[in-house]
Amino acid sequence: MMFFSFILSVMFLMTSQPSGFYVFSCGENCTYTPVFTPSTLVVKFGDPASATCSICQPACTQHIFGLEKAVGETSQNKTTISWTVDSLTEWDTSLICFYNEDGKLHRSTLPITLYQPPKYVGFSFLNHTGPMFAGHRYSLLCVVEEVAPIENLTVTFYRGQTVLDRKTPSNPEKTPVTTAFTVNIIPIEDDDGAQYWCEAELQLGAEGPQPPPVVASEKLTATVYYGPQLKGSSHPDPITVTRGYPLHLNCSAVGNPAPSYTWKLPSDNPSSIKSSILTIESVSWEHGGQYVCNVSNDANDVTVTFNVEVKDNYTSIIVAVAVILAVVIVVCFISAWILYKQKRMGNYNLKDVFRLRPVHVPVRTDE
């Protein structure tokens, strides 16, 4: 009965794989599992490949063993079978090495990973062209064409050198496929001018090529629109300015695109001033009131209100009064000094003071 089973096993092996079938005997030194070298095979599509299978030790005697294959050629050296192929293009294939020992079939399988790097990686914004607006949601699209096996693919999205997200599909398809991945973003002001892109990497393990194959997309430079943002600190309310002094009102802002400016004066009439700074060289009473600056661009607009109060120039009045008082004081002092001198010296004639003889003053007598 055992002999009959052995004959059936031999017939089965001979009919199933005649091209890789050998007859050899194995004794106590046989290993129960054939060993492949390498243990895993990773091959780029169209490249040559080779592997060997060790059945048992050289001390073996006649036994039955073989190598099951779909493509390629085999050769045998004692208990070692060598397999080679000039160009591997069979996407889903493997090698099976086997031997029969006393009617028991022992075999090992060599998994073969046939890979193809992406032929092209495309990048774009999904359903959007032109500038983006800060605070709005957008989708990035990365398309990877003709890559295999897709389950070994990792797609990474970048903003500059910052990783935004990584995607790994779970598709078990072995043949090349084209697939797409998306990531949502909400840009901010600082993202204006940033470069967005993606890359596809085939991670094939330690047996695969090192470093792993990577194909990057082109880089797209983003334009992000955002509304005006006022520069500088807040202004006092109200703004008090002295009559005759200059007035400067500033509503400068940054934004993308560059903001434009319009002014409304206290008279409620629009002004022809289109700059961010309104200047009045010499303020008068009619310049008091409310000034409104409107700052706008395609993203938003901002209104800035200035309440201006004009006060009189009390300094000049005080100076004028002080000057008048000083003049009055000086005049009064000079007048008092002159009067004092006159009283002290008497009413003398200068010629009489220098005469040597006395002066006779006639005296009126009554008749």
Side-chain angles (χ1 to χ4, degrees):
M1 186 69 176
M2 183 178 295
F3 178 76
F4 181 72
S5 298
F6 177 76
I7 295 298
L8 288 179
S9 298
V10 171
M11 292 178 63
F12 170 77
L13 294 173
M14 293 180 64
T15 55
S16 61
Q17 290 294 337
S19 61
F21 183 82
Y22 301 92
V23 178
F24 210 85
S25 179
C26 191
E28 294 180 355
N29 292 325
C30 268
T31 57
Y32 283 98
T33 303
V35 177
F36 274 106
T37 304
S39 59
T40 301
L41 195 59
V42 179
V43 184
K44 185 178 180 181
F45 180 82
D47 280 1
S50 62
T52 60
C53 176
S54 297
I55 304 297
C56 60
Q57 302 300 321
C60 293
T61 58
Q62 193 172 30
H63 195 67
I64 300 171
F65 64 95
L67 183 71
E68 183 180 339
K69 60 181 176 58
V71 294
E73 302 294 332
T74 59
S75 61
Q76 182 256 340
N77 180 14
K78 295 183 180 180
T79 59
T80 300
I81 302 176
S82 299
W83 170 82
T84 60
V85 62
D86 293 334
S87 176
L88 185 58
T89 57
E90 191 74 23
W91 285 106
D92 192 4
T93 188
S94 61
L95 299 179
I96 299 177
C97 191
F98 61 88
Y99 72 89
N100 184 282
E101 181 183 24
D102 297 330
K104 295 180 181 180
L105 186 65
H106 303 279
R107 67 179 187 174
S108 295
T109 300
L110 174 65
I112 300 177
T113 300
L114 190 62
Y115 73 91
Q116 177 175 284
K119 289 187 175 181
Y120 175 76
V121 176
F123 183 82
S124 64
F125 292 94
L126 181 62
N127 299 326
H128 177 77
T129 58
M132 298 185 292
F133 287 84
H136 292 224
R137 184 183 298 273
Y138 300 90
S139 294
L140 306 178
L141 175 65
C142 186
V143 178
V144 183
E145 296 184 1
E146 298 296 310
V147 60
I150 191 173
E151 64 181 355
N152 294 89
L153 178 68
T154 297
V155 172
T156 306
F157 288 81
Y158 291 91
R159 181 185 62 241
Q161 296 302 316
T162 301
V163 175
L164 298 177
D165 201 358
R166 284 190 171 94
K167 301 287 186 179
T168 301
S170 57
N171 189 344
E173 179 63 45
K174 302 297 183 183
T175 60
V177 297
T178 296
T179 187
F181 305 87
T182 60
V183 167
N184 293 327
I185 62 168
I186 299 178
I188 61 175
E189 292 85 347
D190 292 342
D191 293 332
D192 183 48
Q195 290 186 321
Y196 291 86
W197 56 290
C198 68
E199 69 176 14
E201 179 180 8
L202 272 181
Q203 298 178 345
L204 300 164
E207 297 79 8
Q210 301 297 329
V214 176
V215 179
S217 72
E218 64 176 339
K219 297 180 179 180
L220 297 183
T221 301
T223 299
V224 179
Y225 281 179
Y226 56 92
Q229 299 176 357
L230 298 176
K231 296 191 298 184
S233 57
S234 59
H235 59 272
D237 190 25
I239 298 173
T240 303
V241 61
T242 302
R243 187 165 60 96
Y245 280 66
L247 173 66
H248 302 282
L249 302 179
N250 190 342
C251 60
S252 297
V254 294
N256 191 28
S260 60
Y261 303 87
T262 57
W263 289 86
K264 188 170 72 173
L265 305 182
S267 59
D268 286 335
N269 294 325
S271 171
S272 60
I273 299 174
K274 300 299 181 183
S275 66
S276 60
I277 300 177
L278 184 147
T279 300
I280 299 174
E281 295 298 338
S282 181
V283 172
S284 58
W285 294 115
E286 63 268 19
H287 291 133
Q290 189 177 81
Y291 295 77
V292 178
C293 175
N294 183 263
V295 190
S296 62
N297 64 7
D298 291 344
N300 201 1
D301 63 277
V302 176
T303 298
V304 185
T305 301
F306 302 90
N307 293 307
V308 177
E309 292 184 357
V310 180
K311 68 177 182 178
D312 212 339
N313 192 348
Y314 294 105
T315 302
S316 60
I317 296 176
I318 293 173
V319 171
V321 171
V323 170
I324 294 173
L325 288 176
V327 171
V328 171
I329 292 173
V330 171
V331 171
C332 292
F333 178 79
I334 294 174
S335 299
W337 184 80
I338 294 173
L339 183 61
Y340 170 78
K341 284 293 187 178
Q342 287 180 347
K343 287 184 177 181
R344 184 170 179 176
M345 297 179 65
N347 191 12
Y348 293 107
N349 190 316
L350 189 59
K351 292 180 180 180
D352 293 337
V353 173
F354 291 99
R355 285 198 182 117
L356 296 176
R357 64 178 183 272
V359 176
H360 296 282
V361 178
V363 178
R364 181 179 178 183
T365 59
D366 294 330
E367 293 180 355

